[in-house]
Amino acid sequence: MAKKAKQNVDKIVKKVNKEFEKTSAQIEGLVNDALKQFDSLQNQVQEPVRKLLKEIDELRDREMKRFHEEFERRLDEFHELQSSILERLGVASKETGKEVKKLTDEVSKEAGSAAKKAAPKKAAKPAAKSKASTSKPAAKKPAAKKPVARKAPAAKAAKPVDKSDLTLVKGIGPATAKKMKDAGITSIDQIANPSAADQEKLKAFSNVKGYSQFTAEAKKIS
């Protein structure tokens, strides 16, 4: 009887152990599935984040490049404006100097003429009466001398234009001129009468202010 009871207990223990192992295997399978799902979910989250960070970096690079290009363009415009102002001031000074010299010459001529007119004239001697009560004709007054006209100074020969100085073209500043020379535009003639190759080179400066007038302005110089 005891032996039979022991066999029944062993069977129950084996059955319990078997069920325990089965349950443990199921739990282990569920844990593995959960880990796999977690890894998959983590990858799904990381991929959009990685993509978003990449887009942010690209956007930052584009904005930095655009900022630098805009800064360079504004700097070129500033240099061109500065050169234009200095050039106009130089021209104004020359014209003012010419006007002052002309006015001084006119004043000098008028002063010389006035001094000659104001010079005292010699009094004529009274004519002696003749016995026949006839008088001699009065002596003629000497004619006033005409002021000698001064010859105008010969105009100075115009200096030859330095066609390698691209800043002579209105609208082209020192910075733009340097970039043009680096691109192969080294003469004003290449702007005034550009070849097909020169036209392609000049297109790189189409964003410069006054670009459409470069050829017309260059032709005025050449």
Side-chain angles (χ1 to χ4, degrees):
M1 187 75 176
K3 188 176 180 180
K4 188 175 181 180
K6 185 178 179 181
Q7 289 177 350
N8 290 334
V9 170
D10 290 337
K11 287 180 180 180
I12 292 171
V13 169
K14 287 180 180 179
K15 188 175 181 180
V16 170
N17 288 336
K18 188 176 181 180
E19 290 295 329
F20 179 79
E21 289 175 358
K22 183 178 179 181
T23 303
S24 296
Q26 290 177 348
I27 292 173
E28 187 175 357
L30 291 173
V31 170
N32 289 333
D33 290 339
L35 289 174
K36 288 179 180 178
Q37 290 178 0
F38 178 79
D39 290 338
S40 176
L41 182 62
Q42 188 176 20
N43 290 331
Q44 291 176 1
V45 172
Q46 285 180 348
E47 186 61 27
V49 171
R50 201 177 292 116
K51 186 177 180 181
L52 179 62
L53 291 175
K54 184 179 179 181
E55 291 176 354
I56 290 173
D57 289 338
E58 291 174 352
L59 179 62
R60 181 189 61 190
D61 292 339
R62 285 197 303 270
E63 288 299 316
M64 288 298 294
K65 184 178 179 181
R66 188 180 66 82
F67 172 80
H68 284 300
E69 290 175 351
E70 182 68 16
F71 178 79
E72 288 290 335
R73 187 177 68 82
R74 293 295 177 90
L75 188 63
D76 287 345
E77 289 180 357
F78 173 78
H79 285 312
E80 290 167 2
L81 179 62
Q82 185 182 34
S83 299
S84 178
I85 291 173
L86 292 175
E87 183 181 354
R88 289 179 182 178
L89 288 175
V91 171
S93 300
K94 291 177 182 178
E95 291 177 353
T96 304
K98 289 179 181 179
E99 290 294 330
V100 170
K101 187 176 183 302
K102 183 178 178 182
L103 183 60
T104 305
D105 292 340
E106 290 177 356
V107 171
S108 299
K109 289 179 182 179
E110 290 176 0
S113 299
K116 288 180 180 180
K117 288 180 182 179
K121 297 178 181 179
K122 293 181 180 180
K125 293 181 180 180
K129 293 182 179 180
S130 62
K131 292 180 180 180
S133 66
T134 58
S135 60
K136 294 181 180 179
K140 292 182 179 180
K141 295 180 181 179
K145 294 181 179 180
K146 294 182 180 180
V148 179
R150 296 181 182 179
K151 292 183 179 180
K156 294 182 178 179
K159 293 182 179 180
V161 178
D162 182 6
K163 293 189 178 181
S164 64
D165 185 3
L166 303 183
T167 58
L168 295 176
V169 179
K170 186 177 179 182
I172 298 179
T176 303
K178 184 178 182 302
K179 290 181 179 179
M180 283 186 172
K181 287 188 176 182
D182 292 341
I185 304 297
T186 58
S187 173
I188 293 175
D189 290 335
Q190 290 178 269
I191 303 174
N193 299 295
S195 63
D198 292 336
Q199 288 177 1
E200 290 298 322
K201 294 175 184 177
L202 288 171
K203 283 181 181 179
F205 302 92
S206 59
N207 62 338
V208 177
K209 187 177 180 181
Y211 165 79
S212 60
Q213 299 298 320
F214 283 175
T215 300
E217 294 296 332
K219 285 181 178 179
K220 293 179 182 179
I221 299 171
S222 61

